[in-house]
Amino acid sequence: MNVNGFRAPAVPLITHDPFFSLWSHADELTGDSTRHWTGTRQYMFGIIVWDGVIYEFMGKVGATDDRYFAGYEKLVQTSCEIRPMTTIYRFSHAKFDMELVFTSPLLLNDLEIMSRPVSYVDYRIIPKDCEEHEAVIQFGFSGEFCVNETTQKVHVELTNNAICFSSGTEHMLKQCGDDHRIEWGTLHVVAPDYVQESMSLRSYHLQLTSLYGDRLQPVNIMHMQGPHRECKGPDAYQAYEWTTVHPHYPTILVKKLFTVKNEAVSGSLALAYDDVKSLQYFGENIEAYWRKDGISFSQMLQAALSEKGEILAKVAAFEEQLLEQANQISPKYADIVSLAYRQTIAGHKLTWHKGELQFVSKENYSNGCAATVDVTYPSIPLFLLYEPKLVEGMLNPIFHLLEQGMWEYDFAPHDAGTYPRVNGQFYGFSFRHRKNRPNPKDSQMPVEECGNMLLCVAGLCFAEKDMTYFEKHRAVLKKWADYLVCAGFDPNNQLCTDDFAGFLAHNCNLSVKAICALGAYAKLLEHTESSDAAFYRKKAEEFAAEWEKAAFDGDHYRLAFDRPGSWSLKYNMVWDKLLNLNLFSQKVYDLELAWYKKQMHKYGIPLDGRMDGTKTDWEMWSTVLFDDKEYTDMVVDSMWSFLCDTPESIPFSDLIFTSKPYAREFTARTVQGGLFINMLQRNKPIY
């Protein structure tokens, strides 16, 4: 169970990838329509008719918001429990209780199951008396799931397994960008033992009036067409007939009749999405990982249904282990990582192409870039903990970009495209970037990305206890290590991963990254018995010793070497601990710990002295620098309080204010995988 009082700003319901990602953006499941992580409506609603009276338990039946509709009586929500892969809602009524469970089985210990775009919805209805009751449960699903804009068209299909909305493949992988939803493929509502139909949303309202009009509480449907006459009834949406989502709002409906007496009744359905081709990968449209052995969508779906019991058992076991480990840090920490787990994984797409894994991230609401190196870097603790192979999948697009001869600089790239088109770096090369800085080189993050790539490879190889990936890319990694030898200790005026803070010269934390990256590279060389190891180790030691002098500011260490009186979180120093590099003296850690405790605000510790804001991943990384439970609890408790207090209804933001409960930028990003760093340190030493 979550800690009493825990409240998520938005609740994950069905989460698989950046396109198939449905959330409740309200405290009560009936408080708003369900929405894509971008906040765009993709309505899914649920009602139960008990002895002829309609009660809403999910979403808004009058979901369009362009006509007045008061809705029906709502079940009282008594709790919402968020676990890593499941969300459990509980409702109460004078005559019955109800439980509704959403499960997206993102099992990091089973990539085939994890990559299947199938979620399960289960419910249980418990009567409170011994009388016989008639109950009808109904679910509705919007054509909005398959379009980017509601002016686009969908049609209804029937398969052996499901009733579906499809938008075809005409627009498949044609567009890319940040605030963008899928506009091709097919949503499958798998409910074979239900009555299935499709109609306009208004026609559904009229149908409910006709069936239950004498018992509605209240009767409050507007019997008028408005400016657009709508298609009416099931016959309006025969298979293969296309219609725009607006103004008709075509809706798939599934319903089941129960007779309830004495004992609880239960049921289930599943939602699945066939995206046909998942990514454009250097000019070629490629498929999801689950297709790698040539199975069809129908075969995959049948397997997901037939294996459901076994899958749910695996989910329960995985969650119990994760939560047991998280609770060793604190119950509030367990709440935080439970909310972060699905968000982190579902911000990626897992594919398989020419014998190689791709696990491509999308920079959600930061710029839409794909496979961004400085987004991979903070996210990897979750994957190093449970499945390091996925870190390979995150790095492979970057190395492939180099192999294609698409990178001219002697430092590492920033990204490999704009999701879902992974065709080459976007950052610095787009019109928007070049308008302000005509030379793309001026927009890059040379020290940042070289350090990130070296540290990610080191983390991967030591987590796997296998140097194969390092050996495969040894030549280019040496090039980047040599770049850091020349330019890493005292970086010139450039961006780092915290590019929202602008350019900064002589960045002490960026220098730490270069130093740790060189130490990690030396350690990789030691494990491959290279004679070059001593050179890079010596450089890292020399730089660390010089850093302690140049960054020293009396009782802490500076933001920039040339800025006395400044300070910043030295989160990059975490690798000195995780990889057991022993480059920095204990004095550094002691002074920084004492200083950080004095800088704490109500909702976190600022990233540096220039701003009222922090990155949730970086402040959690800072807790691993010290063996100090008081400081860890300060960070965890402030983050938990932010989640509970923020009035914003958005998925877990990683860039927040520290003095007030608001997000500064960024939504639903994969970097929240960095919050698992405490568990990585405790449960899987990687050196």
Side-chain angles (χ1 to χ4, degrees):
M1 292 290 292
N2 300 129
V3 174
N4 186 39
F6 180 62
R7 171 258 181 198
V11 179
L13 303 178
I14 294 166
T15 47
H16 290 279
D17 60 47
F19 285 140
F20 193 26
S21 182
L22 190 72
W23 297 66
S24 171
H25 288 66
D27 292 344
E28 306 291 325
L29 187 56
T30 55
D32 186 23
S33 300
T34 57
R35 298 177 183 274
H36 186 256
W37 67 261
T38 57
T40 300
R41 186 185 58 230
Q42 292 180 336
Y43 65 78
M44 175 173 68
F45 60 77
I47 66 170
I48 183 169
V49 183
W50 186 272
D51 291 339
V53 180
I54 299 174
Y55 303 96
E56 295 179 357
F57 62 83
M58 175 172 61
K60 294 172 66 176
V61 179
T64 63
D65 296 328
D66 58 355
R67 290 189 180 94
Y68 174 68
F69 181 78
Y72 309 104
E73 185 174 344
K74 303 178 189 301
L75 289 186
V76 176
Q77 181 177 309
T78 57
S79 68
C80 173
E81 180 181 354
I82 300 172
R83 296 168 65 86
M85 285 177 273
T86 54
T87 297
I88 306 166
Y89 285 97
R90 297 180 180 89
F91 306 91
S92 182
H93 184 270
K95 297 181 180 180
F96 63 93
D97 290 331
M98 182 175 177
E99 185 175 87
L100 183 67
V101 183
F102 298 88
T103 306
S104 295
L106 302 181
L107 288 160
L108 288 174
N109 56 0
D110 191 325
L111 295 186
E112 181 180 347
I113 292 174
M114 191 201 88
S115 72
R116 293 174 181 171
V118 182
S119 278
Y120 307 107
V121 182
D122 294 276
Y123 54 88
R124 188 165 176 261
I125 304 163
I126 309 101
K128 290 184 175 180
D129 58 36
C130 296
E131 299 178 9
E132 185 171 286
H133 302 275
E134 291 295 318
V136 182
I137 193 162
Q138 304 187 22
F139 293 89
F141 305 90
S142 172
E144 293 165 335
F145 278 90
C146 299
V147 296
N148 181 49
E149 302 290 345
T150 57
T151 53
Q152 295 174 308
K153 292 183 177 182
V154 295
H155 70 277
V156 178
E157 298 179 354
L158 293 173
T159 71
N160 292 333
N161 299 313
I163 182 170
C164 313
F165 272 131
S166 177
S167 53
T169 57
E170 178 185 356
H171 301 291
M172 185 168 66
L173 296 166
K174 296 290 180 64
Q175 302 293 326
C176 59
D178 196 354
D179 187 6
H180 197 84
R181 289 145 298 281
I182 199 165
E183 52 192 339
W184 73 91
T186 306
L187 173 73
H188 293 246
V189 180
V190 187
D193 55 344
Y194 291 66
V195 175
Q196 302 174 357
E197 55 188 342
S198 59
M199 63 185 73
S200 75
L201 188 58
R202 182 174 179 275
S203 295
Y204 178 60
H205 297 163
L206 296 175
Q207 183 186 84
L208 289 177
T209 302
S210 175
L211 290 172
Y212 308 107
D214 61 334
R215 302 296 297 276
L216 289 176
Q217 297 183 2
V219 178
N220 203 345
I221 297 175
M222 299 294 285
H223 291 276
M224 63 178 66
Q225 295 285 352
H228 301 285
R229 293 195 63 82
E230 296 190 64
C231 301
K232 292 184 179 180
D235 293 341
Y237 298 105
Q238 297 297 332
Y240 308 112
E241 182 176 339
W242 293 80
T243 183
T244 55
V245 171
H246 177 81
H248 306 302
Y249 297 106
T251 304
I252 283 173
L253 299 152
V254 299
K255 54 189 174 183
K256 180 186 284 191
L257 173 67
F258 296 99
T259 299
V260 184
K261 185 177 181 179
N262 297 328
E263 296 182 353
V265 295
S266 59
S268 64
L269 59 151
L271 264 67
Y273 205 99
D274 183 4
D275 64 2
V276 188
K277 301 287 186 179
S278 300
L279 298 173
Q280 188 168 100
Y281 194 63
F282 296 96
E284 184 175 353
N285 293 348
I286 66 173
E287 298 176 335
Y289 178 88
W290 62 264
R291 294 185 191 265
K292 69 183 180 67
D293 296 323
I295 68 170
S296 67
F297 184 87
S298 178
Q299 290 171 320
M300 179 277 295
L301 189 52
Q302 285 284 7
L305 297 176
S306 64
E307 297 167 8
K308 179 182 174 183
E310 178 185 346
I311 290 170
L312 293 183
K314 287 183 177 180
V315 166
F318 189 100
E319 287 184 329
E320 287 304 315
Q321 180 192 33
L322 188 157
L323 291 172
E324 180 182 358
Q325 294 173 345
N327 275 296
Q328 292 173 7
I329 296 162
S330 81
K332 289 183 177 180
Y333 178 81
D335 285 347
I336 290 169
V337 296
S338 290
L339 182 59
Y341 183 90
R342 274 173 282 175
Q343 173 174 313
T344 299
I345 299 170
H348 298 82
K349 187 68 179 184
L350 184 63
T351 57
W352 180 263
H353 183 60
K354 294 184 178 178
E356 188 173 80
L357 198 70
Q358 299 83 36
F359 192 46
V360 176
S361 64
K362 178 180 180 181
E363 281 204 58
N364 288 344
Y365 272 0
S366 50
N367 63 20
C369 282
T372 302
V373 175
D374 57 284
V375 167
T376 292
Y377 172 73
S379 72
I380 62 173
L382 172 61
F383 305 107
L384 294 178
L385 179 61
Y386 291 115
E387 183 44 88
K389 283 291 178 189
L390 290 173
V391 179
E392 286 190 27
M394 298 158 87
L395 301 176
N396 283 338
I398 301 299
F399 286 117
H400 192 71
L401 183 150
L402 270 69
E403 292 161 2
Q404 296 296 302
M406 299 175 67
W407 189 248
E408 62 182 287
Y409 304 120
D410 53 356
F411 49 81
H414 169 272
D415 63 79
T418 307
Y419 195 91
R421 295 165 62 89
V422 190
N423 294 327
Q425 177 159 323
F426 168 82
Y427 197 88
F429 291 87
S430 70
F431 172 78
R432 176 170 60 87
H433 288 111
R434 298 188 75 164
K435 183 178 180 181
N436 296 322
R437 292 187 286 275
N439 185 350
K441 189 174 183 180
D442 295 337
S443 297
Q444 303 311 309
M445 305 179 185
V447 173
E448 174 72 36
E449 308 302 14
C450 287
N452 290 339
M453 289 299 292
L454 287 164
L455 288 165
C456 286
V457 171
L460 163 65
C461 290
F462 288 117
E464 291 188 314
K465 297 179 172 53
D466 184 347
M467 298 294 116
T468 302
Y469 199 76
F470 169 64
E471 293 282 16
K472 180 179 179 181
H473 300 291
R474 188 166 183 159
V476 70
L477 292 170
K478 181 182 187 307
K479 180 179 180 180
W480 294 336
D482 288 341
Y483 184 91
L484 294 182
V485 169
C486 296
F489 171 70
D490 187 10
N492 61 17
N493 193 38
Q494 61 188 263
L495 294 170
C496 70
T497 185
D498 305 319
D499 56 354
F500 51 85
F503 284 78
L504 179 66
H506 318 297
N507 185 331
C508 294
N509 188 45
L510 189 57
S511 177
V512 167
K513 177 170 287 183
I515 294 166
C516 287
L518 289 172
Y521 180 68
K523 196 159 192 170
L524 288 166
L525 292 173
E526 290 170 4
H527 279 73
T528 54
E529 299 181 355
S530 170
S531 59
D532 292 338
F535 169 78
Y536 293 98
R537 175 66 192 185
K538 184 178 180 183
K539 277 294 178 186
E541 290 174 345
E542 290 173 351
F543 286 166
E546 183 60 27
W547 186 96
E548 293 194 27
K549 298 175 185 176
F552 185 64
D553 205 57
D555 57 355
H556 65 278
Y557 293 83
R558 297 175 180 176
L559 165 70
F561 292 129
D562 63 342
R563 294 195 183 189
S566 65
W567 69 275
S568 64
L569 288 182
K570 308 303 188 298
Y571 55 82
N572 286 317
M573 207 172 283
V574 72
W575 296 100
D576 194 39
K577 297 289 187 178
L578 291 179
L579 296 177
N580 201 24
L581 300 176
N582 298 313
L583 291 168
F584 294 93
S585 72
Q586 188 58 42
K587 177 184 176 183
V588 173
Y589 294 104
D590 292 342
L591 289 178
E592 289 291 281
L593 172 61
W595 182 260
Y596 294 173
K597 286 183 176 181
K598 291 188 290 186
Q599 309 310 315
M600 185 66 65
H601 292 175
K602 182 175 181 179
Y603 296 113
I605 178 172
L607 195 60
D608 61 54
R610 298 173 297 174
M611 64 180 72
D612 173 20
T614 194
K615 291 281 273 84
T616 56
D617 44 350
W618 298 147
E619 63 172 339
M620 193 69 81
W621 280 36
S622 74
T623 67
V624 178
L625 301 180
F626 323 109
D627 183 15
D628 190 277
K629 188 175 189 315
E630 180 187 33
Y631 177 66
T632 299
D633 286 344
M634 290 170 72
V635 170
V636 169
D637 292 353
S638 66
M639 197 180 302
W640 190 91
S641 294
F642 171 85
L643 292 170
C644 296
D645 292 353
T646 180
E648 297 179 311
S649 298
I650 59 174
F652 199 168
S653 174
D654 57 286
L655 180 55
I656 64 176
F657 291 100
T658 56
S659 64
K660 52 190 175 183
Y662 290 90
R664 285 183 50 142
E665 288 184 77
F666 307 158
T667 300
R669 299 211 309 164
T670 65
V671 302
Q672 302 294 31
L675 302 177
F676 290 80
I677 198 162
N678 307 72
M679 294 169 64
L680 177 67
Q681 179 198 36
R682 282 176 174 239
N683 299 294
K684 188 174 181 179
I686 58 175
Y687 52 82

